[in-house]
Amino acid sequence: VLPNFEQIQSGAYQHKKLGDLPQWSSYMGLQLETLLLKNRKLIWEKLNIHPQDIVWDNPYAHKKSKDHERGVQIAYLILTRQKVVYLCEIKFTRSVIGLEIIKDMEDKISSLNLPKGYALCPVLLHTSSLSDQLLDRQFFFQTISVEEFFSS
């Protein structure tokens, strides 16, 4: 607010659409992540994960260090007793999601040092449509439209 205080006081933002404000998508992305993490049981249901099978679930991050070549930030990671790791990307955007998301996920996957014997299942939770090229690649274990959580 402070950098735009004078404009706000003069009424410059009075007739602006919320979606046109700077950084709107970033704020909404964080809000979506928070909403989904507060309702993570819905994600478990969509992925057919039983709560008693979950060893760990939370956002995950590590910084570059001597043990890790690169830093990584994962919106939501679920580890199960069956040694399955669900790497969940939460994507808020108004545009079509294309193949670039695969490169982002591959970078995150390569930054993880998973022990042998663990299966990795990339999951995409999204708010917009997916490109045909992305769907054709069948990279994701599951893609979940956030709208599915709100329809009855």
Side-chain angles (χ1 to χ4, degrees):
V1 171
L2 195 54
N4 300 308
F5 185 73
E6 288 183 29
Q7 292 176 326
I8 293 168
Q9 287 294 100
S10 69
Y13 285 98
Q14 191 171 10
H15 300 289
K16 293 252 184 190
K17 296 178 188 173
L18 286 176
D20 292 339
L21 294 174
Q23 303 298 316
W24 175 255
S25 290
S26 296
Y27 294 129
M28 289 304 296
L30 289 172
Q31 292 300 317
L32 179 64
E33 283 186 28
T34 301
L35 177 67
L36 291 174
L37 290 172
K38 293 279 185 193
N39 294 281
R40 57 185 75 194
K41 289 179 183 179
L42 297 172
I43 299 171
W44 303 345
E45 288 172 15
K46 290 285 183 186
L47 296 173
N48 294 314
I49 300 172
H50 299 284
Q52 67 270 18
D53 290 334
I54 296 173
V55 174
W56 191 86
D57 75 307
N58 263 316
Y60 175 81
H62 69 243
K63 294 182 179 182
K64 181 179 178 178
S65 68
K66 63 180 179 178
D67 295 328
H68 303 285
E69 282 184 33
R70 297 182 291 195
V72 66
Q73 184 173 343
I74 297 167
Y76 184 45
L77 189 137
I78 306 167
L79 174 64
T80 68
R81 288 186 309 133
Q82 294 79 15
K83 295 185 177 183
V84 178
V85 176
Y86 295 88
L87 194 155
C88 303
E89 179 70 9
I90 300 171
K91 190 77 170 166
F92 175 87
T93 182
R94 289 182 257 179
S95 56
V96 175
I97 300 172
L99 293 174
E100 67 280 351
I101 191 79
I102 292 176
K103 173 75 169 102
D104 293 344
M105 291 295 284
E106 288 174 337
D107 289 345
K108 290 179 182 195
I109 291 167
S110 69
S111 295
L112 290 175
N113 294 326
L114 289 181
K116 286 187 178 185
Y118 281 76
L120 183 70
C121 297
V123 176
L124 177 60
L125 297 127
H126 59 92
T127 58
S128 63
S129 57
L130 307 176
S131 73
D132 290 338
Q133 295 88 351
L134 179 60
L135 293 171
D136 290 344
R137 286 284 302 274
Q138 298 181 352
F139 174 81
F140 289 96
F141 170 73
Q142 195 162 343
T143 59
I144 304 168
S145 172
V146 173
E147 290 178 17
E148 294 178 36
F149 296 127
F150 301 109
S151 59
S152 40

